[in-house]
Amino acid sequence: MKKVRVAILGVTGAVGQEFLSLLDERKFPIAELKLLASGKSAGKKIKFQGKALAIEEARPDSFKGIELVLSSAGAIVSRELIPHAVKAGAVVVDNTSAFRMQPDVPLVIPEINPLEISKHKGIIANPNCSTIIMAVPLYPLHKAARLRRAVISTYQAASGAGMKAMLELEEQAREVLAGKKPSKKIFRHQIAFNLFSHDSKIRPDGFTEEEAKMIQETQKIFNAPELKLVPTTIRVPVLRAHSESIVAEFERPLSETEARKILEKAPGVKVIDRREDNYFPMPIEATGRDEVLVGRIRKDPTTENGLAFFVSGDQLRKGAALNAIQIAEILFAKR
Amino acid sequence: MKKVRVAILGVTGAVGQEFLSLLDERKFPIAELKLLASGKSAGKKIKFQGKALAIEEARPDSFKGIELVLSSAGAIVSRELIPHAVKAGAVVVDNTSAFRMQPDVPLVIPEINPLEISKHKGIIANPNCSTIIMAVPLYPLHKAARLRRAVISTYQAASGAGMKAMLELEEQAREVLAGKKPSKKIFRHQIAFNLFSHDSKIRPDGFTEEEAKMIQETQKIFNAPELKLVPTTIRVPVLRAHSESIVAEFERPLSETEARKILEKAPGVKVIDRREDNYFPMPIEATGRDEVLVGRIRKDPTTENGLAFFVSGDQLRKGAALNAIQIAEILFAKR
């Protein structure tokens, strides 16, 4: 694999930092690494593989000579800057919602639809974190028995709202334990020792934007526009792994044993389902791991071909940075 | 209402303490109050309405002259001692699972089936906390449109495992924030900044005992053995209010507007459903309140007559002590 000239857009964020860790950990072949962020961070230095690299302000002309942009700087910044990166000849793997639903932009989870990657016209979109963590275990079951409908309730970590949200959870926990009123800067509601409906806008149909993303993105990734999904997205006082309770209905029969066998062989999935000692997926164990953990696998006896299970996955890794880097690895392995 | 000779069995527990608060707050007419607990606590004093009352060891002969026992001392203690209380002439409102599914024991939520109370033969069972918090808002919808099936995912507070579990959550949070390894005494898994499948036994069908209780108890309370429920019970790092994500299917059409109207008039329910500023039920706001908070009310467009909503209710109040005291109020108001 040839060495690649890489830029990270939004390097100071939680996902940006995870890009750096993963590029190193996975020995991504880097010819040049450009760190881009907002003007506030310009000039600050970040250590990477022993070298201190200066952060540059992300601007339309930041992408000359860059071949790959790993982007996670928010949808507004993405919409503004990414067209310039594409014009400069880079391929952009974008972690924001800016381009995901555009028909000519591949929306990719490498375990599911890797062939979409080669169809890109400069931008490949990384799905929403809740979508990825649900889709990775759901897809192999869908392939085996054809998913008809799923009811999903999420248990989403603070990291989904960025690094400052993670710090806010810790800071509020300290304040509550000290008997103080918790200070709120990022989240509208207290997150420590509390939970609340996902802090995205509510649409006229009563679903949150986060829920709408899970529905639409999964339909696009599975290439199954008829798929019926009913998510309820909830933010919980956990630092960086999302969990989801999933109750699925399939077209064809799917026994508990079959489902477990399929999941045990599925890429990106680790089955943790120890009934005898009550050991199932937990966010602290999903943290720092590449796989989505799956357990509580059981037949749903109340509907035809029903199956229930529970998953946990690292929101910053498979839910964001890891998925993007896996896409980049496929993209550049081909050359 | 005549004054009543009351004993509290398990007075040192989280629910026992809540019995005391509520007896005072609701001005329950007390002729005599006996505080019973295990031998360990005998002799210790508890203040009630300005008087220091000594705790006595709960024994088979503790119930002479007692008219009402409010019991929350665990299923094993209940099975052993409650028959003696009944023999001594008391009516027992028992918060444990010991007698709930016995056909001759009324299982009561006063907002739903108050007429069952008068059928008692000495014992009235208080349902499981997750059952109550789900059933209070679900029942009026069931009455209007007949519930067929519901998928439920719970977000259960530490209080459901008792006072020591609440302290463990706080203690572990302190340890994690100090960079220490959290100490585990009550829960098998870390609860601070984490979540896990409910810590009850897993049955051969893969459902937890907690989930089985929700199914069977709701069928009994609604007098609807054909009711289909698929719960997934999860413990979250919240102190004392349970939340639940509920996606229900009804026999008859039920619009979002109708459902909201029904819930706004329903006893024991408070609708908090402010889409415009993302304000929905939260455990910190349910804490200390009598009502089950209901919000995120929306049509589930993926099934016929589907409706989704989210609830939070105080596990120690309506989920336990308050429900028991409401039963006692009805019981003794009749005399």
Side-chain angles (χ1 to χ4, degrees):
Chain A
M1 192 167 161
K2 200 177 144 273
K3 289 193 170 182
V4 183
R5 295 187 300 275
V6 181
I8 298 178
L9 180 58
V11 72
T12 53
V15 177
Q17 292 292 300
E18 207 62 28
F19 279 144
L20 282 177
S21 306
L22 284 164
L23 285 175
D24 181 43
E25 184 185 318
R26 295 173 76 88
K27 301 185 174 47
F28 192 89
I30 297 172
E32 180 196 326
L33 181 60
K34 203 165 191 173
L35 306 184
L36 300 172
S38 72
K40 284 196 308 259
S41 304
K44 284 184 194 161
K45 295 205 168 169
I46 288 183
K47 268 217 169 170
F48 181 73
Q49 298 182 334
K51 274 183 251 174
L53 301 176
I55 298 171
E56 297 172 41
E57 182 181 358
R59 295 154 41 103
D61 61 0
S62 297
F63 305 99
K64 267 174 218 153
I66 293 297
E67 294 167 284
L68 168 68
V69 180
L70 297 167
S71 158
S72 191
I76 295 164
V77 175
S78 280
R79 263 185 223 107
E80 193 199 319
L81 290 180
I82 285 177
H84 295 282
V86 174
K87 229 177 269 169
V91 181
V92 182
V93 184
D94 182 38
N95 191 46
T96 76
S97 62
F99 304 101
R100 284 180 194 148
M101 294 313 294
Q102 287 193 10
D104 59 345
V105 172
L107 182 64
V108 176
I109 299 175
E111 290 86 350
I112 300 176
N113 59 346
L115 298 180
E116 292 296 306
I117 293 174
S118 63
K119 298 181 188 165
H120 78 83
K121 292 170 181 163
I123 305 173
I124 299 161
N126 210 38
N128 170 278
C129 45
S130 304
T131 306
I132 296 177
I133 288 161
M134 165 183 68
V136 167
L138 205 44
Y139 186 72
L141 301 171
H142 168 63
K143 263 205 315 193
R146 193 147 195 97
L147 182 64
R148 189 155 50 189
R149 177 172 179 259
V151 177
I152 309 106
S153 295
T154 71
Y155 302 69
Q156 296 184 230
S159 61
M163 201 178 274
K164 284 180 186 159
M166 297 167 76
L167 295 171
E168 178 154 302
L169 166 55
E170 293 184 330
E171 185 55 28
Q172 285 187 357
R174 275 193 196 93
E175 289 165 339
V176 170
L177 291 168
K180 288 184 210 155
K181 201 174 140 62
S183 48
K184 284 177 260 178
K185 280 168 245 159
I186 304 298
F187 291 124
R188 180 191 297 262
H189 306 294
Q190 177 182 327
I191 180 69
F193 304 104
N194 192 31
L195 51 84
F196 47 80
S197 179
H198 189 276
D199 37 300
S200 54
K201 227 180 128 185
I202 312 292
R203 303 178 346 147
D205 63 3
F207 284 83
T208 65
E209 290 289 353
E210 180 83 354
E211 288 154 6
K213 286 176 191 173
M214 290 177 72
I215 298 167
Q216 293 160 0
E217 294 179 15
T218 306
Q219 289 170 340
K220 179 170 175 174
I221 297 162
F222 286 18
N223 191 21
E226 72 290 351
L227 209 60
K228 292 174 174 173
L229 299 176
V230 196
T232 301
T233 52
I234 305 293
R235 189 77 78 183
V236 296
V238 162
L239 282 165
R240 62 171 274 174
H242 286 0
S243 303
E244 305 186 25
S245 163
I246 301 173
V247 177
E249 301 161 33
F250 296 90
E251 291 285 345
R252 295 189 286 274
L254 180 68
S255 74
E256 188 188 298
T257 314
E258 275 178 278
R260 192 172 282 113
K261 266 191 205 152
I262 289 165
L263 289 168
E264 274 165 357
K265 284 186 291 184
V269 168
K270 168 81 184 163
V271 172
I272 297 190
D273 201 22
R274 280 160 45 187
R275 291 184 183 174
E276 62 285 4
D277 62 349
N278 231 315
Y279 211 108
F280 303 107
M282 293 189 288
I284 48 164
E285 297 209 332
T287 295
R289 286 189 72 152
D290 288 351
E291 305 97 336
V292 175
L293 311 182
V294 183
R296 292 300 317 276
I297 302 163
R298 62 204 193 276
K299 192 93 196 127
D300 165 10
T302 70
T303 190
E304 220 196 335
N305 311 327
L307 189 84
F309 54 101
F310 189 78
V311 306
S312 288
D314 189 319
Q315 186 271 325
L316 293 176
R317 283 175 88 96
K318 188 57 192 170
L322 173 63
N323 195 74
I325 287 184
Q326 288 172 319
I327 292 171
E329 286 168 348
I330 295 172
L331 198 58
F332 287 91
K334 285 194 180 147
R335 302 190 319 173
Chain B
M1 189 166 162
K2 199 176 144 274
K3 289 192 171 185
V4 184
R5 294 186 299 277
V6 181
I8 298 179
L9 180 58
V11 72
T12 54
V15 177
Q17 291 293 300
E18 207 62 29
F19 279 144
L20 283 176
S21 304
L22 285 163
L23 285 174
D24 181 43
E25 184 185 318
R26 296 174 74 89
K27 300 185 172 52
F28 193 89
I30 297 171
E32 180 195 326
L33 181 61
K34 202 165 193 175
L35 306 185
L36 300 171
S38 73
K40 285 194 310 259
S41 304
K44 285 184 195 161
K45 296 206 167 168
I46 288 183
K47 268 218 166 168
F48 181 73
Q49 298 183 333
K51 273 183 249 172
L53 301 176
I55 298 172
E56 298 174 40
E57 183 180 359
R59 294 153 41 100
D61 62 359
S62 296
F63 305 98
K64 266 173 221 154
I66 293 297
E67 295 166 285
L68 168 69
V69 180
L70 297 167
S71 159
S72 191
I76 295 163
V77 175
S78 279
R79 262 184 224 107
E80 193 200 319
L81 290 181
I82 285 176
H84 295 282
V86 174
K87 229 177 270 170
V91 182
V92 182
V93 184
D94 182 38
N95 190 46
T96 78
S97 62
F99 304 100
R100 285 181 194 149
M101 294 313 296
Q102 287 193 10
D104 59 343
V105 172
L107 182 65
V108 176
I109 299 175
E111 289 85 349
I112 300 177
N113 59 347
L115 298 180
E116 292 297 305
I117 293 173
S118 63
K119 299 180 188 166
H120 78 83
K121 291 168 181 164
I123 305 174
I124 299 161
N126 210 39
N128 169 278
C129 45
S130 303
T131 306
I132 296 176
I133 288 161
M134 167 182 66
V136 167
L138 206 44
Y139 186 72
L141 300 171
H142 169 64
K143 264 205 314 194
R146 195 145 193 97
L147 182 64
R148 189 158 47 188
R149 176 172 179 259
V151 177
I152 310 106
S153 295
T154 71
Y155 301 70
Q156 295 184 230
S159 60
M163 200 177 277
K164 283 179 188 162
M166 297 168 76
L167 296 172
E168 177 154 303
L169 166 54
E170 293 185 329
E171 185 56 26
Q172 285 188 357
R174 274 193 197 94
E175 289 165 338
V176 171
L177 290 169
K180 288 185 211 157
K181 202 175 138 63
S183 48
K184 285 177 259 178
K185 282 169 241 158
I186 304 301
F187 291 124
R188 180 192 295 264
H189 306 294
Q190 176 182 327
I191 180 69
F193 304 104
N194 192 30
L195 51 84
F196 47 81
S197 179
H198 189 274
D199 37 300
S200 55
K201 227 180 127 185
I202 312 291
R203 305 181 339 151
D205 63 3
F207 284 82
T208 65
E209 290 290 354
E210 180 83 355
E211 288 155 6
K213 286 177 191 173
M214 289 177 73
I215 298 168
Q216 292 160 1
E217 294 179 14
T218 307
Q219 288 170 340
K220 179 169 175 174
I221 297 162
F222 285 18
N223 190 22
E226 73 291 350
L227 209 58
K228 292 174 175 173
L229 299 176
V230 196
T232 301
T233 51
I234 305 292
R235 190 77 77 184
V236 296
V238 161
L239 283 164
R240 62 172 274 175
H242 285 2
S243 303
E244 305 186 25
S245 162
I246 301 173
V247 177
E249 301 161 33
F250 296 90
E251 292 285 343
R252 294 188 288 274
L254 181 68
S255 73
E256 187 187 299
T257 313
E258 275 177 279
R260 191 171 283 112
K261 266 191 204 151
I262 289 165
L263 289 167
E264 273 164 357
K265 284 186 291 186
V269 168
K270 168 81 184 164
V271 173
I272 298 190
D273 202 21
R274 281 161 42 187
R275 292 183 183 175
E276 62 286 4
D277 61 348
N278 231 315
Y279 211 108
F280 303 107
M282 293 189 287
I284 49 164
E285 296 210 333
T287 294
R289 286 189 72 150
D290 289 352
E291 305 98 334
V292 175
L293 311 183
V294 183
R296 293 298 318 273
I297 302 163
R298 63 205 191 276
K299 192 91 195 128
D300 165 10
T302 71
T303 191
E304 220 195 334
N305 311 327
L307 189 83
F309 54 101
F310 189 78
V311 307
S312 288
D314 190 319
Q315 186 271 326
L316 294 175
R317 284 175 88 95
K318 186 59 192 170
L322 173 63
N323 195 73
I325 287 185
Q326 287 173 319
I327 292 170
E329 286 169 349
I330 295 172
L331 197 59
F332 288 91
K334 287 195 179 144
R335 302 188 320 173

